[in-house]
Structures are given as C-alpha cells and as structure tokens.
C-alpha cells in the first residue's frame, strides 16, 4: 500500500493540480454496490498547486471516482493548466483535465459480483413479511433489507448484487410466525442466485434462511 495506508486498503493515490479557482474542485469515491460515499475531498485554497490524496478504501468492494468542478469548466485550460490523475498500484488508471462539470473513472477494486433475485407471492398479511441479507465475512453486517409490503396476495421481486468476496445469508421473517401458507392464502417465496433457483419456501413459520 501507499505510505500510511493499512494493508486492507487499495493502494490508491489521487494527484490534483488546481487551476486558478481551486475552490471549485471537489471529488468523491463511491461504492458501486452500496452507493455509499466512502471518501471525499475538496476545500482546496492554493492556485496552480499539487495536492496528493491517499484515501483508504477497503479492498473488498468496487468503486468509482468522480471529480467535480462547480463552475462546469474542468481544471484546464482557460484559467490555468490543472489536471488530476488516479493511480492504483503505481499505475495511472484515470486522468483528465478538460471535463466540464464532472469526470468519472472506470470501476476499480473487487468488482466481481454475486446477484440475488428474491420473489414473493404474498398471503393475506403481506405486512408480516420482511427480509435481510447478512455478510458473515463482515461480522454479519446487514447489507440489504426490505419489507413494508402492502398488497394482499401480491407479487414482489427484489434484485440485489453484492461483492463476490462476501459470504451471504438471505433471511426471511414472518412477524406472526405463520409463514406465507396456508392459513391465510397460498403464498410462497423463491430465491435465485446467478439465475439459478436455490430455495423455495411457504409454510416456514417465523423465519427461513439460506446461505
């Protein structure tokens, strides 16, 4: 990793040379899978000056860098010859200067993914049903969840993708502990991973899960 970064971080270096209006320049790194902003910067004050940033972003997810200019004229060339470059493992993977309002890098990090499709046919009490996805590689963190269904005997479909580096469990819960069948309708759920159905359930009581 670059200087000062723990080995759980991507070896990442962002170099920015400002133009004559450094305060217009900001950036952020977004997690592609969660839409979370994991690093950001700005508030630059020195004209025509090099700034070096080494944000720590975890190796186990997928990211994109977005560089912004609030005046929509990039950082080159009418008001100085600014530019920026993004290095990963000492290799430039993205650089730009004349980009208008924003410049978007290609994705980087662990970008292979596993995709889930969770389908429900509800019974007469859809409000009883909720679900979540946990990652046991990250202390069983909840990485997705859902519920709040309202349509009796309605059909719902949830599609989610996550980094392939995780170990996931999909958990379905019924707050009344009677599942989706059969006292109040013939509902069920199905879970597919990568297009292959791996679990179907209906009369599951309080909960059902699959890893």
């Amino acid at each position: 990793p670059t200087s000062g970064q723990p080995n759980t971080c991507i070896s990442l270096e962002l170099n920015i040379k400002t133009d004559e209006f450094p305060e217009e320049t900001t950036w952020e790194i977004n997690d592609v899978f969660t839409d979370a902003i994991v690093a950001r910067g700005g508030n630059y004050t020195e004209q025509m000056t090099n700034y070096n940033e080494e944000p720590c972003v975890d190796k186990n997810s997928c990211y994109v860098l977005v560089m912004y200019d609030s005046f929509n004229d990039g950082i080159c060339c009418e008001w100085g010859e600014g530019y920026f470059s993004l290095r990963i493992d000492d290799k430039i993977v993205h650089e730009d200067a004349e980009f208008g309002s924003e410049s978007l890098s290609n994705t980087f990090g662990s970008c292979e993914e596993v995709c889930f499709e969770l389908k429900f046919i509800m019974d007469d009490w859809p409000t009883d049903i909720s679900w979540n996805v946990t990652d046991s590689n990250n202390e069983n963190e909840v990485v997705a969840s859902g519920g709040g269904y309202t349509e009796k005997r309605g059909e719902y479909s949830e599609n989610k993708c996550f980094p392939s580096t995780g170990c996931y469990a999909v958990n379905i819960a019924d707050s009344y502990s009677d599942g989706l069948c059969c006292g109040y309708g013939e509902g069920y759920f199905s879970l597919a991973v990568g297009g292959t159905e791996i679990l179907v359930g209906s009369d599951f009581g309080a909960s059902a899960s699959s890893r």
Side-chain angles (χ1 to χ4, degrees):
T2 55
S3 175
Q5 291 183 333
N7 60 14
T8 57
C9 302
I10 294 172
S11 179
L12 183 156
E13 182 179 350
L14 176 61
N15 181 259
I16 302 166
K17 183 180 180 182
T18 58
D19 61 7
E20 295 179 9
F21 294 91
E23 68 278 4
E24 295 173 0
T25 300
T26 58
W27 58 271
E28 61 188 33
I29 296 175
N30 298 321
D31 188 308
V32 172
F33 294 121
T34 66
D35 294 325
I37 298 172
V38 298
R40 60 179 10 139
N43 297 317
Y44 302 116
T45 58
E46 298 296 324
Q47 298 177 337
M48 307 301 296
T49 299
N50 284 305
Y51 289 88
N52 190 59
E53 307 276 10
E54 296 183 0
C56 176
V57 296
D58 191 273
K59 291 179 179 179
N60 294 319
S61 197
C62 181
Y63 308 97
V64 64
L65 167 73
V66 190
M67 185 69 64
Y68 297 102
D69 185 278
S70 61
F71 199 70
N72 303 331
D73 63 351
I75 48 180
C76 185
C77 296
E78 184 177 358
W79 305 104
E81 295 186 359
Y83 65 89
F84 75 92
S85 65
L86 173 66
R87 289 178 179 268
I88 296 176
D89 295 326
D90 293 324
K91 179 182 178 181
I92 293 177
V93 297
H94 184 66
E95 57 187 343
D96 208 346
E98 298 180 82
F99 54 83
S101 62
E102 66 179 54
S103 179
L104 194 71
S105 76
N106 292 326
T107 55
F108 58 91
S110 299
C111 294
E112 293 184 11
E113 60 185 13
V114 56
C115 294
F116 297 80
E117 184 178 21
L118 182 60
K119 292 182 178 180
F120 293 99
I121 299 294
M122 296 298 178
D123 61 7
D124 290 338
W125 298 95
T127 55
D128 292 350
I129 300 299
S130 62
W131 60 271
N132 66 39
V133 181
T134 56
D135 181 2
S136 63
N137 283 353
N138 196 18
E139 299 181 344
N140 288 317
E141 177 187 8
V142 175
V143 295
S145 61
Y149 304 111
T150 58
E151 185 179 350
K152 293 181 178 182
R153 307 202 180 194
E155 183 174 347
Y156 293 89
S157 181
E158 306 281 1
N159 294 273
K160 300 291 180 182
C161 294
F162 307 101
S164 60
T165 52
C167 182
Y168 303 103
V170 180
N171 311 293
I172 296 94
D174 186 297
S175 62
Y176 198 70
S177 302
D178 63 349
L180 286 162
C181 185
C182 295
Y184 298 96
E186 297 184 357
Y188 66 91
F189 74 89
S190 66
L191 173 65
V193 178
T196 301
E197 189 173 81
I198 65 168
L199 181 66
V200 176
S202 56
D203 189 11
F204 55 84
S207 64
S209 64
S210 176
R211 188 175 298 277

